[in-house]
Amino acid sequence: MLFNSYEFIFIFLPFSFFIYFFLLHRRLVIAAKGFLVFASLFFYAWWNIIYLPIILSSIVFNFVIGDLLNNKSQKLRIHKKSLLALGISANIGLLGYFKYSDFFIENINLVANASIPLLQLTLPLAISFFTFQQIAYLVDSYRRETSEYDFLNYTLFVTFFPQLIAGPIVHHAEMMPQFASRWNWGKNYRHVAMGLFIFSIGLFKKVVIADSFAVWATAGFDYAPVLTFFEAWATSLSYTFQLYFDFSGYTDMAIGAALLFNIKLPINFNSPYKAVDIQDFWRRWHMTLSRFLKDYVYIPLGGNREGALSTYFNLLITFVIAGVWHGAGWTFVFWGLLHGVALVVHRIWKQFTYKMPRVIAWLITFNFINMAWVFFRADSWDDAIKVISGMLGLSGIVLPQAFEREIEVLFSSDAVSFGDVTQHVGDTLLVFGWIAVGFIIVLAFSNSVKMMQNNKLEIKDAFLFALYIFISLLYLYFGQTVPSEFLYFNF
């Protein structure tokens, strides 16, 4: 069930809201939590019920291991490292089997000239997210940083539907106390109003903006045989904005839906395209993933405690893991490596006293991010090289026919031709008009973080809410026969 579907907006979400608070109003707290778990599992099974046993088995296994790690028995204490290793290995093994089996087989076939048949497994929905979430829980249980939650509370922590499918990657310490708090057991109309408003912003981002950019990104990456200079830039920037508005839109919708139930999910985006260096970017983009990588990968590897070279190595390893987590392919590995190298370069640069002008720093940072996203999006190396070559002008430049006479007077070049500037991508004015709008929104407008912090709505916000919903539903009705999936469902 998609957040941007009629079933979710008009049936599932209101039904879950009213039943949950009806049970709480009757002081049936356990029943209310049980209903929310059931609703969340129904939401998950809506995609494909065959994967329901996988998430349930994962929950039971991790709860048992976490409970043993929390046990204060002297007999168990000596075995806790082994228990933790077992728990982490089982989680990684489950993720690896479904997500990376074919990737490993393909590489074995390539290296050994073998012909091992591919398993062709379908990736279970949300497996990357609930796996990381539960690994963090096991590590914290080993560190004695968790309370002894019962099975119902733990299941609710993992399955709570607003964050189940594509995050944010939540931490038990920020979720469980909220479900336990009596202050959250009654309807909070301020939360309802704010939740609906943020949800409407996310819906608008996804349906109107992200899905519009998706058309041009798909045309350039998947269908164009070659991309000239402006086509390549239109393609890369379209995906850069598609990914941002798609994932940011999902996160806003998740935050808004959770707020209806008086649950505040962690902020996952803080205007990342305003970043003026790569470290600043990762403090703003997919913030809960950055937190996980820092707390459970980078710091356990040694962090920055053992000298510069060790720090650089740890950064590279951490971001290669980030790349692999996103997808089973060498393009994802390379994307992660690019960001690791960029962070190393940034650390080295910080040792110098020269401070780069802010505009120049932003230009370098944004263009690096934009070019790195090419490898993140490309289905193959050939697709990535096609786009990068075009961006560098190696596949020629096409200028508008109207400029032909004036430009040919100045110079003549085989690399420059005249005609439809973005023939393989879409209408030139429409594409670059939307790109200009994308820049204005991400650079000039406030984000949902500010709105949450202000916790204040005005009359104009009610008008904006109605406008966002109305336009989004129009786009859904007239633009798509089936609502499009969110990009991070693939990861």
Side-chain angles (χ1 to χ4, degrees):
M1 193 181 304
L2 292 163
F3 282 176
N4 53 324
S5 67
Y6 293 118
E7 296 92 341
F8 181 85
I9 296 170
F10 295 114
I11 300 174
F12 179 83
L13 185 59
F15 179 79
S16 300
F17 173 82
F18 285 114
I19 296 298
Y20 177 69
F21 281 108
F22 171 78
L23 293 172
L24 286 177
H25 181 71
R26 294 297 185 93
R27 297 293 187 267
L28 301 172
V29 177
I30 294 177
K33 289 181 178 180
F35 167 76
L36 205 51
V37 169
F38 172 79
S40 298
L41 292 174
F42 176 83
F43 173 80
Y44 184 84
W46 181 271
W47 304 92
N48 192 339
I49 197 170
I50 197 172
Y51 294 121
L52 188 59
I54 294 173
I55 190 173
L56 288 174
S57 300
S58 175
I59 289 169
V60 171
F61 174 82
N62 283 286
F63 176 76
V64 170
I65 297 296
D67 192 53
L68 290 172
L69 290 171
N70 267 315
N71 195 303
K72 297 178 181 178
S73 168
Q74 186 67 33
K75 292 181 180 179
L76 280 173
R77 193 170 297 170
I78 58 174
H79 300 295
K80 284 191 175 181
K81 277 192 177 179
S82 300
L83 278 173
L84 178 63
L86 171 65
I88 293 175
S89 299
N91 279 284
I92 294 175
L94 180 69
L95 180 61
Y97 174 71
F98 282 101
K99 194 167 185 175
Y100 305 108
S101 293
D102 282 350
F103 176 63
F104 285 122
I105 292 172
E106 286 172 352
N107 283 279
I108 289 171
N109 287 341
L110 182 65
V111 172
N113 196 25
S115 55
I116 303 171
L118 301 180
L119 301 179
Q120 295 183 335
L121 300 170
T122 303
L123 184 67
L125 198 64
I127 190 170
S128 296
F129 287 90
F130 69 68
T131 297
F132 267 28
Q133 187 171 321
Q134 294 187 103
I135 286 175
Y137 178 78
L138 293 183
V139 173
D140 288 349
S141 296
Y142 174 78
R143 295 171 177 170
R144 310 293 291 273
E145 294 174 0
T146 62
S147 302
E148 295 184 16
Y149 304 123
D150 60 38
F151 183 68
L152 179 61
N153 284 327
Y154 179 77
T155 306
L156 183 56
F157 155 65
V158 176
T159 63
F160 185 46
F161 72 86
Q163 54 80 36
L164 171 61
I165 306 300
I169 301 173
V170 295
H171 196 274
H172 62 89
E174 62 200 357
M175 293 295 291
M176 301 314 302
Q178 294 190 71
F179 285 114
S181 173
R182 292 178 178 271
W183 296 104
N184 289 337
W185 292 355
K187 294 190 193 77
N188 184 320
Y189 291 103
R190 183 182 292 274
H191 285 170
V192 171
M194 181 64 74
L196 289 173
F197 183 58
I198 292 176
F199 184 90
S200 72
I201 294 172
L203 181 65
F204 185 87
K205 284 180 179 179
K206 165 60 178 171
V207 173
V208 179
I209 305 178
D211 288 351
S212 295
F213 280 117
V215 175
W216 307 311
T218 301
F221 274 101
D222 297 342
Y223 299 115
V226 66
L227 292 171
T228 57
F229 181 77
F230 291 109
E231 288 176 333
W233 278 96
T235 298
S236 66
L237 288 170
S238 291
Y239 182 71
T240 290
F241 286 123
Q242 179 200 356
L243 182 61
Y244 173 80
F245 286 110
D246 190 282
F247 197 22
S248 174
Y250 179 93
T251 303
D252 283 348
M253 295 169 82
I255 288 172
L259 204 53
L260 298 180
F261 297 86
N262 297 324
I263 302 300
K264 293 183 179 180
L265 295 180
I267 302 300
N268 218 19
F269 287 87
N270 187 12
S271 301
Y273 290 168
K274 293 179 182 177
V276 293
D277 60 59
I278 195 63
Q279 186 177 44
D280 187 25
F281 172 76
W282 278 104
R283 287 172 177 160
R284 296 166 173 265
W285 172 272
H286 205 342
M287 294 157 68
T288 56
L289 175 62
S290 299
R291 177 180 65 180
F292 178 92
L293 292 171
K294 177 185 175 184
D295 292 345
Y296 301 101
V297 180
Y298 177 68
I299 291 177
L301 283 173
N304 57 2
R305 299 190 300 270
E306 298 178 11
L309 289 178
S310 177
T311 299
Y312 302 156
F313 178 77
N314 294 337
L315 281 171
L316 291 173
I317 293 297
T318 299
F319 277 88
V320 166
I321 290 172
V324 172
W325 178 82
H326 279 92
W330 288 110
T331 52
F332 286 106
V333 174
F334 187 64
W335 171 81
L337 182 63
L338 281 175
H339 277 271
V341 170
L343 283 160
V344 169
V345 171
H346 172 67
R347 280 186 170 266
I348 295 171
W349 175 263
K350 281 182 15 178
Q351 297 174 10
F352 298 95
T353 56
Y354 177 74
K355 190 172 183 180
M356 192 178 295
R358 190 173 181 84
V359 173
I360 302 299
W362 176 82
L363 276 171
I364 292 172
T365 303
F366 180 82
N367 279 290
F368 167 80
I369 292 164
N370 179 55
M371 296 189 82
W373 283 139
V374 170
F375 297 94
F376 189 87
R377 167 60 176 84
D379 292 332
S380 66
W381 287 108
D382 288 341
D383 286 339
I385 292 169
K386 174 184 69 177
V387 178
I388 295 295
S389 296
M391 293 172 72
L392 296 175
L394 301 180
S395 301
I397 300 172
V398 176
L399 297 175
Q401 197 77 46
F403 298 157
E404 182 174 5
R405 181 175 299 177
E406 290 80 359
I407 291 176
E408 282 192 337
V409 170
L410 298 175
F411 72 95
S412 176
S413 172
D414 293 335
V416 178
S417 59
F418 300 89
D420 190 343
V421 174
T422 54
Q423 177 184 353
H424 296 108
V425 178
D427 180 84
T428 303
L429 289 177
L430 190 61
V431 173
F432 284 106
W434 270 93
I435 288 172
V437 169
F439 274 115
I440 291 169
I441 293 174
V442 301
L443 296 178
F445 280 69
S446 297
N447 54 45
S448 55
V449 176
K450 298 280 179 68
M451 297 170 191
M452 290 279 289
Q453 290 172 344
N454 292 339
N455 197 25
K456 182 181 178 182
L457 293 174
E458 301 174 358
I459 296 297
K460 67 177 179 64
D461 295 319
F463 171 76
L464 288 173
F465 163 75
L467 186 65
Y468 291 145
I469 291 292
F470 178 70
I471 295 176
S472 299
L473 292 178
L474 280 181
Y475 264 72
L476 278 173
Y477 184 77
F478 291 107
Q480 302 170 356
T481 54
V482 178
S484 63
E485 288 188 1
F486 293 85
L487 291 176
Y488 260 74
F489 285 12
N490 299 314
F491 306 139

